[in-house]
Amino acid sequence: MYVPPLPGGAGGRDDAPAGEQPRVYQVWRGSNEFFLQGRFIFGPDVRSVFLTMFLIIAPVVTFCVFVARHLMNDFPDSWGISVMVVAVVFTVYDLTLLLCTSGRDPGIIPRNTHPPEPESIDGINDSGGQTPQQFRLPRTKEVIVNGISVRVKYCDTCMLYRPPRCSHCSICNNCVERFDHHCPWVGQCIGLRNYRFFYMFVFSTTLLCLYVFAFCWVYVIKIRNAEQLSIWKALAKTPASIVLIIYCFLCVWFVGGLSVFHLYLMSTNQTTYENFRYRYDRRDNPYNRGILNNFLEIFCTAIPPSKNNFRARVTLEQGLQQTRSQSRSFMSPNLGKPIGDLEMGRKPVPWDEPRTAADIRDLEAGLEGMFDEKEGRIAHASPDLSRDELPAEFVEGRAGMHSRQSSRVHRASDEVEAMAVQMATARAEANGGNNVAWNGPQ
């Protein structure tokens, strides 16, 4: 959550000049890493990119030094030098695609500063009239895509309903459009804006492996023919070729298999996430437009611009809006379930589990403000609900009933106190006899 810095730059980042608002990338709430002042955005596992680069550069350097250099004079009309040139140029092209995949916004959807407006207010009092009970956000919504109903989910982290084909990456902690997967080899999510470069990188790596593999065998065969040796003795004369042949053979199975798999996904207009989760072979795929149109959509359509300007200044109004959003009264779709970052995969913890005596007192204070639904009272079922944000007519209705219900409130307070004492005693016994001090209602 971004809080506007104090005058004079206090509370901002160190690289933000005094008196200026920080840039978006400096207060970014995802887990991304930024380089060159927000011009490049990577995932939190950006170090794996250097490993991938090493796995590409090292074998190519070995190939150029121990294989291609010896082939330069074995082809007529100076064609031998082209073997090394092609290897170097293709490697530079492959690394460029790697950076285009890992260093750009994959299609991150900006987070909302407050939850969307609730669609309905439910609750009926005993007099037959409607009494506002709680603001509810439905967990899912139905949208129509190409005549087929598609269910979209609410994201508690980003406070928005995800568009179709969007999913929340638990590693980068962002909602990504047309989310395919998070690739640890490129250290970035693969989504709408970098899927094209990802496939081109994987496919070009496959071709590079085949290129090195083939010319290593060409060099071995030339040694065999020149010295009239068996293939095994020729291999023994070039250990570097043996290592490269084995290395490229293993890599081709990985990157080549990945290329074929994504070729199938593109032909059916699926993502990796959808293929493993929804299994469109058993149901209609609303995004399949035919093989030709599916490939044209991937490779021949304009890449949409990023929805995030990471180098823009955070305005004071945006900071204040984010601060005020904490006090909005709404009910999360996950209310009543264990609280935990459902998108991040953290261990859920029940929200009403008291952990200290202070938590018990907070629980009592919260329960004292609860009102029975049957009697027309406002049920503050969520610790996030704010009474100050309720409409005026709700507050007036509650004030008019206060005199009639005061005695019941006192009885409820006594019951809450007794219940809290029991809970404190039980917790003390569970902790091996460590007593939890109870000071009564505060």
Side-chain angles (χ1 to χ4, degrees):
M1 180 66 66
Y2 166 65
V3 178
L6 298 176
R13 296 294 181 93
D14 294 338
D15 52 351
E20 291 187 1
Q21 296 292 351
R23 299 186 187 272
V24 171
Y25 78 90
Q26 294 173 326
V27 294
W28 186 251
R29 298 175 61 189
S31 303
N32 303 90
E33 299 287 342
F34 294 88
F35 290 88
L36 296 180
Q37 297 183 346
R39 291 179 174 87
F40 292 92
I41 174 175
F42 296 87
D45 47 352
V46 61
R47 292 177 181 84
S48 62
V49 177
F50 298 101
L51 173 62
T52 303
M53 295 175 66
F54 173 79
L55 294 177
I56 295 173
I57 295 175
V60 172
V61 171
T62 304
F63 172 77
C64 292
V65 172
F66 295 100
V67 178
R69 182 170 60 89
H70 298 288
L71 291 174
M72 293 176 62
N73 299 324
D74 291 342
F75 291 91
D77 300 329
S78 301
W79 280 100
I81 195 173
S82 63
V83 176
M84 182 180 295
V85 172
V86 170
V88 173
V89 172
F90 210 80
T91 301
V92 173
Y93 170 72
D94 197 38
L95 295 176
T96 301
L97 292 174
L98 172 61
L99 294 179
C100 289
T101 302
S102 60
R104 68 187 292 124
D105 178 5
I108 299 174
I109 299 180
R111 302 188 183 195
N112 283 339
T113 56
H114 55 79
E117 295 297 331
E119 291 187 343
S120 61
I121 302 175
D122 54 357
I124 301 177
N125 60 11
D126 53 1
S127 62
Q130 291 189 353
T131 299
Q133 181 186 1
Q134 46 194 332
F135 297 89
R136 288 189 179 274
L137 293 174
R139 180 61 179 165
T140 60
K141 283 185 177 182
E142 298 288 339
V143 297
I144 303 300
V145 178
N146 296 328
I148 300 177
S149 178
V150 176
R151 180 175 298 176
V152 297
K153 296 181 179 179
Y154 179 81
C155 178
D156 298 295
T157 304
C158 302
M159 293 188 292
L160 53 81
Y161 283 98
R162 304 169 190 158
R165 314 196 83 175
C166 172
S167 184
H168 192 96
C169 176
S170 60
I171 299 176
C172 294
N173 196 22
N174 296 309
C175 279
V176 179
E177 290 185 283
R178 201 186 185 277
F179 177 78
D180 190 89
H181 69 288
H182 183 95
C183 181
W185 296 101
V186 303
Q188 181 63 283
C189 291
I190 307 302
L192 177 65
R193 301 189 67 251
N194 64 349
Y195 181 81
R196 175 187 305 177
F197 301 105
F198 168 76
Y199 182 78
M200 294 171 64
F201 164 69
V202 173
F203 185 70
S204 64
T205 305
T206 303
L207 295 180
L208 182 60
C209 289
L210 293 175
Y211 181 85
V212 173
F213 181 85
F215 275 97
C216 283
W217 277 112
V218 169
Y219 181 52
V220 171
I221 293 173
K222 282 187 173 293
I223 293 177
R224 185 195 66 173
N225 295 338
E227 302 185 15
Q228 299 298 318
L229 301 174
S230 66
I231 192 68
W232 302 110
K233 291 182 178 180
L235 283 171
K237 284 185 171 294
T238 171
S241 295
I242 298 176
V243 174
L244 290 173
I245 287 172
I246 296 175
Y247 179 82
C248 293
F249 178 79
L250 296 176
C251 290
V252 162
W253 280 103
F254 174 69
V255 293
L258 197 61
S259 299
V260 173
F261 174 66
H262 280 277
L263 196 67
Y264 158 72
L265 292 180
M266 288 188 295
S267 66
T268 56
N269 208 331
Q270 298 183 62
T271 65
T272 303
Y273 181 81
E274 292 169 348
N275 180 262
F276 285 96
R277 184 178 180 88
Y278 298 118
R279 304 295 302 177
Y280 282 136
D281 54 350
R282 302 174 186 173
R283 53 186 292 191
D284 292 332
N285 182 358
Y287 311 105
N288 192 352
R289 304 166 55 191
I291 296 178
L292 179 60
N293 290 329
N294 291 339
F295 279 104
L296 292 176
E297 178 182 332
I298 297 295
F299 295 106
C300 300
T301 57
I303 298 177
S306 174
K307 296 183 178 179
N308 302 277
N309 185 2
F310 299 110
R311 290 180 48 78
R313 296 286 181 183
V314 178
T315 63
L316 182 61
E317 290 75 10
Q318 289 175 336
L320 293 176
Q321 187 178 18
Q322 291 185 2
T323 305
R324 288 195 300 266
S325 67
Q326 300 182 17
S327 62
R328 290 185 60 88
S329 62
F330 80 104
M331 177 166 285
S332 170
N334 292 323
L335 189 61
K337 301 179 182 179
I339 282 184
D341 198 334
L342 301 180
E343 307 296 341
M344 295 295 290
R346 297 172 183 166
K347 182 179 179 181
V349 179
W351 71 268
D352 56 350
E353 177 183 351
R355 299 196 175 276
T356 61
D359 294 332
I360 297 176
R361 290 192 294 270
D362 292 341
L363 177 63
E364 181 201 10
L367 291 176
E368 284 180 30
M370 280 192 179
F371 290 88
D372 187 9
E373 175 184 357
K374 183 181 300 184
E375 297 173 353
R377 299 178 182 131
I378 301 175
H380 293 278
S382 168
D384 293 331
L385 286 178
S386 172
R387 303 178 190 179
D388 298 335
E389 294 292 330
L390 288 175
E393 57 270 18
F394 297 177
V395 179
E396 292 174 1
R398 177 180 172 181
M401 295 160 47
H402 177 71
S403 59
R404 181 172 58 90
Q405 296 169 345
S406 59
S407 60
R408 296 174 183 172
V409 171
H410 289 297
R411 288 199 303 270
S413 178
D414 295 337
E415 293 174 359
V416 168
E417 180 178 354
M419 182 182 67
V421 171
Q422 293 176 359
M423 294 170 65
T425 304
R427 180 167 179 79
E429 293 176 355
N431 291 334
N434 296 327
N435 293 330
V436 178
W438 173 255
N439 299 322
Q442 301 297 317

